């Protein structure tokens, strides 16, 4: 090949003034041309079809052209970004086989749980065929039936090991009964139902809905927004467009720029549904199909819209350094989910307040609900929220009967830390700056300029540099279980947190129950309570208390608790694994709070002014 290039160059008529450097440059350019013409760049193309959607299957054809290796390893991700749990998507793959461009079978060996090795012997093309089973209702897993197909790309498409940055095309062949495709992927001009991703990170971040969904659009912040409603519902198209536009405009105002030209909402409407997952230029939401005419349910849905839309800046672009580029083979640990999910959980309700969907009291109650959730959870006194972020992979997405005693939510507690940061910055700058300014500056610093994620200490340093305010105590609080002094921050803007249970001496048993098949079953036992100390177990069946048979509706248990006092001993009969046990339980004092946030009595004019800025009351 070198001799061929030099021979061609020898035929060039070179002027006398051509220097050795220029000659080398010409040679390098020529070599590049020769190499490019001799070895074409690899191409990867998928074709997705549905011969048996009623059985919950998709057929995937993966064409790998011009790779020319002795063997090719193709891999299925084990998790999907935004949902921090190893889900082992390869468990749903079957009938994996490979052939060359002539249809001749190629040897395949599965070398680990999510990797298939194809002995390609430098073939110019490798064609992989496999089927994927999908029948799990969630925003992060495949669901296929005779009505539609929802494809979570990480659960559907494989990648060539070492080629995650390679471009890829996907062609969808809908079932004949389906007519629409909704996705954030870029359509390929002149190729029907074919879409392009610049790399596999983008492909895995672009869910696909195929079926007969109701599709309508609106424009906001200079961006075209598509809403794909799946499963019907009593929604009002025009109201959704109007309210969605308000949220988009308000979120965009915070960051000063909307990074998309087009954004897609895929909404799955169920009899009872919820949850969402953010993506680069789209989101998948779960909703109750008949909940749109109920104001409380509708506000909850708008809060979900606000939360996932806020993520298009905060997580998908402004992010911890550990969250991208991704390792799709294993957990990607970070201690900063309290910043990413927690701050977003703070801003989702704040956006609703700014848009006028929540009045002052409703917004304050939403914040107080977070306080109640955090402060009444025993795990809050055991697990720092930064550790909850790190342990999301093994705790948050795998809750059990003891989770409330051992862990805290980085959503709720992170939202409260975000609130305190916002209030501290507001007060210290006399209302000139707030958390909005920090996030906008961080977006520009790390995503736009440095084109990378941040480390937690860098994020804290940026806050202090932008605002001139030390926030060390709040970042310290994220890494400890020390009590939070909410009123130190709320009082500065004319509000206070009150506990209506403070000073009350009430007995507490410390367990939760449910009625099942005519029996009362224990579902939870709180750390440090009478039930905990007395040996009550989850899954115990409660039979009698103080010699009185318990009724399935819990009336007898309620009567006993209403007349009992702290320190009383209750004799409780339970059935455990088919055996009768009698346990003596000493009632302790109920330590749970009943929190609300209310205007501060005798607030100064400055406190009241800052409060109005905080809650957009002017």
């Amino acid at each position: 090949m070198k001799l061929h290039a030099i021979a061609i160059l020898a035929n060039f008529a070179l002027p006398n003034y051509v220097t050795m450097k220029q000659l080398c440059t010409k040679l390098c350019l020529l070599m590049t041309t020769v190499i490019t013409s001799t070895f074409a760049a690899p191409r990867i193309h998928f074709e997705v079809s549905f011969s048996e959607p009623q059985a919950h299957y998709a057929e995937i054809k993966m064409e790998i052209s011009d790779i020319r290796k002795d063997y090719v390893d193709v891999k299925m991700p084990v998790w999907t970004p935004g949902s921090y749990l190893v889900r082992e998507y390869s468990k749903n793959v079957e009938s994996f086989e490979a052939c060359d461009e002539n249809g001749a079978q190629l040897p395949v060996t599965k070398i680990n749980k999510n990797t298939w090795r194809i002995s390609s012997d430098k073939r110019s093309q490798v064609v992989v065929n496999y089927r994927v089973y999908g029948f799990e209702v969630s925003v992060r897993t495949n669901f296929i039936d005779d009505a539609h197909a929802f494809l979570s790309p990480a659960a559907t498409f494989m990648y060539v090991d070492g080629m995650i940055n390679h471009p890829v095309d996907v062609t969808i062949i809908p079932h004949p009964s389906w007519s629409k495709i909704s996705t954030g992927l870029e359509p390929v001009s002149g190729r029907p139902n074919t879409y392009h991703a610049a790399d596999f990170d983008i492909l895995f971040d672009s869910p696909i809905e195929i079926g007969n969904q109701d599709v309508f659009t609106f424009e906001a912040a200079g961006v075209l927004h598509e809403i794909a409603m799946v499963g019907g519902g009593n929604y009002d198209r025009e109201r959704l467009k109007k309210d969605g536009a308000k949220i988009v405009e308000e979120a965009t105002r915070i960051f000063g720029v909307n990074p998309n030209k087009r954004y897609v909402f895929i909404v799955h409407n169920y009899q009872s549904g919820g949850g969402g997952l953010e993506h680069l230029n789209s989101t998948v939401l779960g909703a109750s199909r008949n909940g749109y005419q109920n104001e409380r349910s509708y506000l909850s849905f708008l809060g979900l819209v606000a939360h996932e839309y806020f993520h298009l800046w905060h997580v998908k672009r402004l992010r911890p350094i550990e969250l991208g580029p991704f390792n799709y083979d294993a957990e990607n640990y970070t201690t900063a989910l309290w910043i990413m999910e927690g701050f977003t959980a703070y801003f989702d309700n704040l956006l609703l307040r700014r848009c006028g969907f929540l009045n002052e009291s409703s917004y304050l109650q939403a914040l107080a609900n977070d306080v109640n959730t955090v402060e009444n959870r025993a795990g809050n006194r055991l697990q720092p929220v930064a550790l909850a972020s790190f342990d999301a992979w093994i705790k948050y997405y795998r809750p059990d009967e003891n989770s409330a005693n051992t862990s805290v939510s980085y959503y709720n507690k992170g939202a409260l830390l975000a609130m305190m940061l916002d209030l501290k910055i507001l007060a210290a700058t006399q209302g000139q700056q707030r958390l909005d300014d920090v996030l906008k500056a961080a977006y520009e610093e790390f995503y736009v300029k440095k084109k990378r994620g941040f480390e937690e200490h860098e994020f804290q340093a940026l806050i202090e540099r932008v605002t001139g305010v030390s926030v060390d105590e709040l970042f310290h609080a994220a890494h400890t279980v020390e009590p939070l002094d909410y009123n130190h921050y709320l009082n500065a803007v004319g509000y206070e947190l009150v506990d209506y249970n403070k000073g009350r001496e009430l007995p507490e048993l410390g367990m939760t129950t449910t009625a099942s098949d005519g029996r009362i079953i224990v579902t939870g036992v709180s750390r440090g309570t009478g039930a905990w100390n007395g040996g009550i177990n989850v899954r115990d069946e409660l039979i009698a208390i103080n010699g009185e048979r318990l009724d399935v509706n819990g009336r007898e248990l309620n009567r006993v608790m209403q007349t009992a006092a702290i320190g009383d001993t209750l004799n409780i009969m339970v059935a455990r694994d088919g055996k009768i046990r009698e346990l003596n339980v000493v009632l302790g004092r109920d330590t749970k709070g009943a929190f609300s946030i209310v205007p501060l009595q005798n607030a100064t004019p400055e406190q009241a002014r800052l409060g109005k800025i905080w809650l957009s009351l002017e």
Side-chain angles (χ1 to χ4, degrees):
M1 187 166 58
K2 289 181 180 179
L3 291 175
H4 175 63
I6 292 171
I8 294 175
L9 186 61
N11 291 326
F12 283 5
L14 297 178
N16 294 331
Y17 57 78
V18 173
T19 65
M20 181 59 68
K21 181 178 180 181
Q22 291 171 320
L23 180 61
C24 289
T25 298
K26 286 181 175 289
L27 179 60
C28 288
L29 289 173
L30 182 60
M31 291 289 290
T32 299
T33 301
V34 172
I35 293 170
T36 301
S37 62
T38 304
F39 297 108
R43 292 179 293 110
I44 300 175
H45 175 260
F46 288 95
E47 181 181 282
V48 184
S49 57
F50 306 90
S51 64
E52 293 185 299
Q54 83 290 346
H56 321 299
Y57 279 97
E59 290 78 36
I60 315 297
K61 180 179 180 181
M62 179 184 189
E63 298 175 330
I64 309 165
S65 301
D66 301 313
I67 194 165
R68 298 182 185 277
K69 293 184 176 181
D70 291 332
Y71 65 85
V72 177
D73 287 346
V74 294
K75 305 173 72 70
M76 175 75 82
V78 303
W79 70 289
T80 190
S83 182
Y84 307 103
L85 177 68
V86 171
R87 297 184 182 275
E88 308 293 17
Y89 290 127
S90 60
K91 67 184 179 183
N92 293 319
V93 173
E94 61 182 66
S95 303
F96 186 101
E97 60 181 20
C99 61
D100 65 13
E101 64 271 26
N102 298 315
Q105 292 291 117
L106 299 175
V108 176
T109 304
K110 192 171 185 182
I111 61 174
N112 59 40
K113 65 181 181 180
N114 67 320
T115 308
W116 289 258
R117 175 162 292 174
I118 304 166
S119 299
S120 50
D121 194 25
K122 295 185 173 59
R123 299 293 209 288
S124 63
Q125 185 178 59
V126 173
V127 180
V128 178
N129 287 281
Y130 58 95
R131 306 182 84 204
V132 170
Y133 179 82
F135 196 52
E136 182 179 348
V137 175
S138 84
V139 296
R140 60 192 73 87
T141 51
N142 289 339
F143 183 90
I144 305 162
D145 66 7
D146 59 355
H148 75 112
F150 170 68
L151 301 182
S152 174
T156 306
F157 300 110
M158 298 187 185
Y159 64 96
V160 177
D161 192 20
M163 296 178 64
I164 208 77
N165 295 322
H166 204 74
V168 57
D169 288 346
V170 176
T171 297
I172 306 293
I173 303 176
H175 187 267
S177 63
W178 302 339
S179 62
K180 297 176 183 176
I181 301 172
S182 298
T183 180
L185 289 170
E186 283 294 314
V188 177
S189 178
R191 296 169 63 186
N193 299 339
T194 299
Y195 303 87
H196 178 75
D199 55 46
F200 277 82
D201 283 320
I202 292 176
L203 176 63
F204 293 147
D205 210 16
S206 304
I208 305 170
E209 174 66 34
I210 311 128
N212 298 305
Q213 58 269 26
D214 180 22
V215 178
F216 49 98
T217 63
F218 68 90
E219 188 166 317
V223 177
L224 179 66
H225 292 77
E226 174 184 316
I227 302 178
M229 301 295 278
V230 183
N234 63 354
Y235 54 89
D236 180 331
R237 274 183 162 204
E238 295 307 312
R239 187 182 186 189
L240 280 175
K241 290 193 286 186
K242 179 182 176 182
D243 293 345
K246 288 181 180 179
I247 292 170
V248 168
E249 295 284 359
E250 185 57 36
T252 303
R253 186 193 63 76
I254 293 173
F255 292 93
V257 62
N258 195 305
N260 290 317
K261 295 180 179 179
R262 176 173 163 268
Y263 189 93
V264 179
F265 295 95
I266 298 173
V267 185
H268 292 142
N269 294 295
Y270 307 108
Q271 185 175 22
S272 178
L277 186 61
E278 71 276 3
H279 297 281
L280 198 65
N281 66 343
S282 63
T283 185
V284 185
L285 310 175
S288 298
R289 68 170 60 94
N290 293 316
Y292 294 95
Q293 299 303 316
N294 177 286
E295 284 305 304
R296 184 174 180 178
S297 176
Y298 183 64
L299 282 175
S300 177
F301 176 74
L302 290 183
L304 181 61
V305 170
H307 184 99
E308 303 305 339
Y309 199 82
F310 196 81
H311 272 321
L312 79 85
W313 295 273
H314 193 68
V315 165
K316 300 315 302 181
R317 291 168 175 85
L318 173 62
R319 56 172 176 77
I321 202 162
E322 300 89 350
L323 296 185
F326 297 113
N327 175 5
Y328 294 100
D329 273 347
E331 297 87 347
N332 290 223
Y333 294 102
T334 178
T335 59
L337 293 182
W338 69 274
I339 298 175
M340 307 320 297
E341 291 294 352
F343 283 30
T344 304
Y346 172 64
F347 272 95
D348 57 24
N349 280 325
L350 193 57
L351 286 172
L352 297 193
R353 166 67 205 136
R354 292 176 181 177
C355 291
F357 300 131
L358 293 177
N359 59 28
E360 178 184 359
S361 62
S362 296
Y363 175 68
L364 294 175
Q365 190 54 53
L367 282 176
N369 289 343
D370 282 333
V371 178
N372 280 291
T373 298
V374 169
E375 295 301 324
N376 291 328
R377 187 178 177 100
N380 178 47
R381 293 176 284 280
L382 188 68
Q383 185 188 49
V385 71
L387 181 57
S389 302
F390 192 85
D391 280 349
W393 297 91
I394 58 173
K395 287 184 178 287
Y396 187 81
Y397 286 96
R398 289 175 174 159
D400 60 27
E401 69 280 354
N402 200 40
S403 292
N405 293 314
T406 63
S407 63
V408 68
S409 167
Y410 47 79
Y411 284 87
N412 303 112
K413 192 163 186 177
L416 295 174
L417 288 169
M419 176 194 74
M420 290 186 280
L421 277 167
D422 196 15
L423 300 186
K424 178 164 189 180
I425 295 168
L426 267 170
T429 64
Q430 291 78 50
Q432 295 302 305
Q433 289 183 301
R434 59 182 309 175
L435 196 52
D436 301 48
D437 303 288
V438 167
L439 295 186
K440 181 179 180 180
Y443 180 84
E444 293 174 350
E445 174 80 8
F446 296 109
Y447 175 69
V448 177
K449 294 180 182 177
K450 294 185 176 179
K451 302 185 187 322
R452 65 168 175 84
F454 61 81
E455 296 188 32
E456 190 173 313
H457 70 88
E458 292 180 304
F459 191 77
Q460 179 183 346
L462 179 137
I463 295 176
E464 296 177 342
R465 185 175 74 249
V466 169
T467 66
V469 179
S470 173
V471 294
D472 187 65
E473 82 277 12
L474 291 171
F475 276 76
H476 174 74
H479 292 265
T480 72
V481 293
E482 297 170 6
L484 300 178
D485 187 357
Y486 300 102
N487 278 330
H488 175 74
Y489 304 94
L490 285 166
N491 290 172
V493 296
Y495 290 88
E496 66 175 333
L497 179 74
V498 295
D499 179 4
Y500 292 113
N501 276 350
K502 187 176 182 179
R504 299 180 68 187
E505 295 292 321
L506 299 173
E508 180 188 31
L509 184 53
M511 66 182 183
T512 56
T513 63
T514 187
S516 175
D517 296 327
R519 302 179 300 160
I520 302 175
I521 305 298
V522 176
T523 56
V525 180
S526 298
R527 182 187 297 272
T529 62
W532 175 282
N533 295 328
I536 299 291
N537 286 187
V538 169
R539 291 185 290 277
D540 281 353
E541 177 190 353
L542 301 183
I543 297 175
I545 187 166
N546 290 346
E548 298 289 336
R549 183 77 165 90
L550 294 178
D551 67 289
V552 71
N553 294 317
R555 288 187 293 265
E556 183 62 25
L557 181 58
N558 289 337
R559 184 192 66 78
V560 169
M561 291 304 298
Q562 288 169 2
T563 58
I566 298 170
D568 284 357
T569 298
L570 304 181
N571 179 264
I572 300 178
M573 179 182 288
V574 305
R576 181 182 299 167
D577 191 30
K579 292 188 176 183
I580 302 299
R581 300 279 301 273
E582 288 194 41
L583 303 169
N584 291 319
V585 175
V586 179
L587 294 178
R589 185 178 70 84
D590 187 355
T591 59
K592 294 192 297 295
F595 298 100
S596 287
I597 298 175
V598 298
L600 181 66
Q601 295 294 318
N602 304 314
T604 67
E606 177 63 7
Q607 288 171 322
R609 184 183 74 85
L610 292 174
K612 289 181 179 179
I613 296 173
W614 175 40
L615 297 183
S616 304
L617 295 176
E618 290 184 338

